[in-house]
């Protein structure tokens, strides 16, 4: 079964499930954004604007870049494919474990993929291995902060990665889909409205604004690269509801995001302490999710939690050991209910 | 500018524009379907079901095939790409002129494309040319009925095309996105719940149910092919609003579609007669759109109609002569307003 589908196979209404496998912002979606999407449906009989003029203006204004430096896709995932089609790298490289869609798109597009294992239990980036592996014409992708580890690369690490790609005449794709939910804030490679010449950035509305049911992602790069990426997308990659939602969020990101970040930081601490008290090893995270080593096999833990209508993410698809789980940080009530259920299922030993 | 965007560049509300360039069913979208999509947005915080279980059941029930024979994408266009990725044809062939996204996807995916020109002014299918051109491992795509000509291939022609592909050990992709709006009904290659082994079919909700602002298309093929196509799509190709809309339509296609077809047939006759009275040559069409040779250059005609807030589709992108226009058949009031405006702009000579 594809990840994310389990919620539909428990035989209960999704709203009755505590889905700790879904690492989106637990504090949304903003009501105004949903209403904007609902209103947009009244215009479903018109083709969406393929130039995304209004959304471009709103989003680029928010992140502070030239509107010609952005384009949109049906979720960040579609954009990964379009970027690979547009740039035609010889190989795709990534530090592993990481988000599975990079390798999946490489396979779909018959581009060789090579994983460079992150180092040790702290998942440190092996910059020297990257320098040794990378070749002209390659594309290297990092997830900042990384999924599933929750670890953000430091400014120094990001600069080392950027220069390794520059020196190796390779492209750098930085997936920043979780960056707005990090605290302390992870470093973006978008700085003062510019991006390094050899770089492309992914952003998404899904995680930030709690709307995995709507699919809008954005690519940020030089205007020349954006023109090429746009040509690799179908004429209407996002629908009217997604467009209206993303536009509302781009115009009203605050105080929603700051409040979410602040709440997530304190909830993460509480959840982390509680998990450690229950025998979990919790890896350091700046993100809205925690990679943990559970005190028992993650499949068994998942099965025991299911009668409580709680889902967790086992990490088999990330090629991690069978006790690794990725847990979303949720709101207070959900986290408390989760810890309560955990205490019960762990009593069994 | 990409086709479909012009409506956003007239500086007026889209609802004030008569868009004869957009060939969707003029009688929708069904109110119940829009309401279903609006309700679905209230669940935007949940990931959509990646298996599309409920939509699969509804859609396959409607068209009478096994649920394992269908999958869904963000509009039929996304599925063209996924099908090419999944089947990896050596070349993509098509009768031309036809819908531009086949060639666009071939280019995106670096698959050689070859157009086989339709024959003469009636755009007859050159079966012998197809037999001569096709080679094992190729994929041949037809649009049934064809866009922009509006001509549907007869049952005999479809069988000749199918056997030419079988004999040539090539795949056949049949884009049936307009088929539900044809009258007399064009022949589908889905028969009694089965499809020819070497075939794949595209359907879309956009045209039938008047919702280009929502993007849901479907692929129909053998269960084995569907598994491969699904792997070439991202985990969540359609969003919650699109899914709910498509499900409602699949459960309630009638009497909406029959009524639409009947109305379109009589409106097409009236529009066609009026156009001929104004000096247009109207090519025979079973579809909800008409390919015409205008009495003057289509770009000039388009420019003269624009102050009337009327858009038409010039056919330069289809490599047709500069007097060809594709006109949608709309509802009575729109068609009358169009003919009235045409009379005025043609007075100028």
């Amino acid at each position: 079964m594809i990840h994310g589908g389990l919620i539909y196979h428990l035989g209960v209404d999704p709203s009755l499930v505590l889905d700790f496998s879904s690492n989106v912002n637990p504090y949304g979606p903003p009501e105004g954004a949903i209403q904007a999407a609902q209103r947009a449906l009244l215009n479903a009989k018109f083709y969406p604007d393929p130039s995304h003029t209004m959304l471009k203006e709103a989003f680029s204004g928010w992140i502070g870049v030239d509107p010609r430096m952005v384009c949109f896709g049906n979720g960040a995932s579609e954009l990964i494919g379009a970027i690979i089609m547009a740039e035609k790298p010889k190989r795709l490289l990534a530090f592993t474990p990481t988000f599975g869609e990079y390798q999946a798109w490489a396979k779909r597009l018959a581009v060789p993929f090579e994983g460079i294992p992150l180092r040790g239990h702290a998942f440190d980036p092996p910059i020297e291995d990257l320098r040794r592996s990378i070749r002209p014409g390659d594309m290297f992708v990092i997830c900042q902060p990384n999924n599933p580890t929750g670890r953000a690369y430091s400014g120094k690490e990001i600069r080392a990665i950027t220069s390794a790609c520059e020196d190796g005449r390779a492209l750098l794709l930085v997936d920043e889909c979780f960056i707005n939910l990090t605290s302390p804030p992870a470093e973006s490679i978008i700085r003062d409205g510019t991006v390094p010449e050899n770089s492309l950035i992914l952003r998404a509305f899904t995680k930030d604004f709690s709307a995995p049911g709507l699919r809008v992602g954005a690519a940020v790069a030089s205007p020349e690269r954006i023109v090429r990426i746009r040509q690799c997308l179908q004429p209407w990659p996002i629908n009217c509801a997604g467009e209206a939602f993303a536009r509302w969020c781009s115009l009203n990101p605050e105080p929603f995001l700051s409040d979410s970040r602040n709440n997530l930081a304190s909830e993460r601490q509480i959840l982390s302490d509680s998990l450690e008290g229950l025998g979990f090893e919790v890896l350091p995270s700046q993100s809205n999710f925690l990679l943990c080593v559970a005190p028992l096999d993650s499949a068994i833990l998942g099965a025991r939690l299911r009668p409580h209508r709680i889902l967790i993410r086992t990490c088999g698809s990330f090629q991690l050991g069978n006790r690794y789980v990725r847990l979303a940080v949720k709101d207070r009530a959900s986290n408390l209910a989760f810890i309560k259920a955990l205490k019960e299922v762990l009593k069994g030993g």
Side-chain angles (χ1 to χ4, degrees), chain A:
Chain A
M1 178 178 312
I2 304 173
H3 163 62
L6 200 52
I7 196 170
Y8 294 95
H9 293 80
L10 293 181
V12 296
D13 188 275
S15 62
L16 299 175
V17 178
L18 283 180
D19 189 0
F20 277 80
S21 78
S22 162
N23 53 0
V24 304
N25 185 345
Y27 299 107
E31 217 172 292
I34 293 297
Q35 286 163 357
Q38 287 181 320
R39 276 195 306 275
L41 284 172
L42 301 175
N43 280 333
K45 68 177 157 183
F46 305 116
Y47 274 92
D49 172 13
S51 314
H52 301 134
T53 312
M54 295 204 300
L55 175 56
K56 249 182 198 174
E57 219 166 274
F59 177 70
S60 64
W62 170 30
I63 66 164
V65 301
D66 188 304
R68 293 169 306 149
M69 287 171 66
V70 302
C71 69
F72 303 94
N74 183 36
S77 177
E78 181 181 47
L79 288 163
I80 298 169
I83 286 169
I84 297 175
M85 285 181 233
E87 299 288 356
K88 301 196 194 317
K90 288 183 187 158
R91 298 185 305 164
L92 188 68
L93 279 67
F95 288 147
T96 53
T98 195
F99 182 46
E101 280 293 294
Y102 314 134
Q103 184 167 3
W105 272 110
K107 193 177 167 198
R108 285 168 197 147
L109 297 169
V111 172
F113 176 88
E114 196 178 297
I116 303 173
L118 289 161
R119 208 187 286 280
H121 200 56
F123 297 104
D124 292 323
I127 308 286
E128 284 315 308
D129 294 352
L130 170 62
R131 286 197 168 269
R132 243 193 320 275
S133 303
I134 207 150
R135 296 201 291 257
D138 285 346
M139 180 182 287
F140 179 65
V141 54
I142 54 168
C143 192
Q144 167 72 330
N146 193 32
N147 179 9
T149 60
R151 183 193 191 288
Y153 300 104
S154 69
K156 197 178 150 199
E157 287 165 346
I158 288 285
R159 281 183 291 279
I161 291 166
T162 308
S163 81
C165 291
E166 276 169 5
D167 295 347
R169 283 179 288 146
L171 290 174
L172 174 61
L173 172 59
V174 186
D175 179 346
E176 298 187 343
C177 288
F178 287 101
I179 206 164
N180 285 324
L181 299 177
T182 52
S183 59
E187 187 156 322
S188 168
I189 66 160
I190 306 174
R191 293 180 76 99
D192 305 324
T194 65
V195 301
E197 194 286 324
N198 68 329
S199 308
L200 308 101
I201 295 98
L202 287 174
R203 292 283 177 97
F205 291 86
T206 303
K207 314 292 183 182
D208 289 354
F209 299 101
S210 331
L214 289 169
R215 320 282 318 141
V216 185
V220 186
S222 71
E224 297 72 31
R225 289 194 200 283
I226 290 298
V227 167
R228 286 204 298 274
I229 296 167
R230 184 67 186 90
Q231 283 163 351
C232 290
L233 292 161
Q234 56 161 317
W236 298 279
I238 55 179
N239 72 21
C240 59
E243 184 180 11
F245 181 89
R247 182 164 176 253
W248 192 97
C249 294
S250 297
L251 293 172
N252 305 277
E254 295 299 344
F256 177 75
L257 280 181
S258 302
D259 290 350
S260 297
R261 257 192 308 265
N262 293 340
N263 290 333
L264 280 166
S266 60
E267 288 303 323
R268 186 176 61 215
Q269 194 57 54
I270 296 170
L271 181 62
S272 182
D273 292 347
S274 307
L275 288 166
E276 285 178 346
L278 289 169
F280 283 74
E281 181 189 354
V282 181
L283 279 77
S285 168
Q286 285 171 245
S287 308
N288 60 319
F289 52 89
L290 298 168
L291 185 65
C292 311
V293 184
L296 75 172
D297 185 283
S298 63
I300 296 172
L301 180 62
R304 288 196 195 163
L305 285 167
R306 223 166 293 165
H308 296 261
R309 295 174 177 170
I310 291 174
L311 299 179
I312 58 171
R313 179 77 191 262
T314 58
C315 291
S317 70
F318 292 111
Q319 313 294 330
L320 286 168
N322 61 10
R323 281 171 53 202
Y324 281 85
V325 291
R326 193 195 65 192
L327 302 173
V329 179
K330 296 202 168 287
D331 61 14
R332 180 70 49 93
S334 303
N335 295 337
L336 289 177
F338 178 49
I339 292 298
K340 184 163 170 278
L342 264 184
K343 280 181 185 158
E344 282 182 42
V345 307
L346 290 174
K347 253 190 284 176

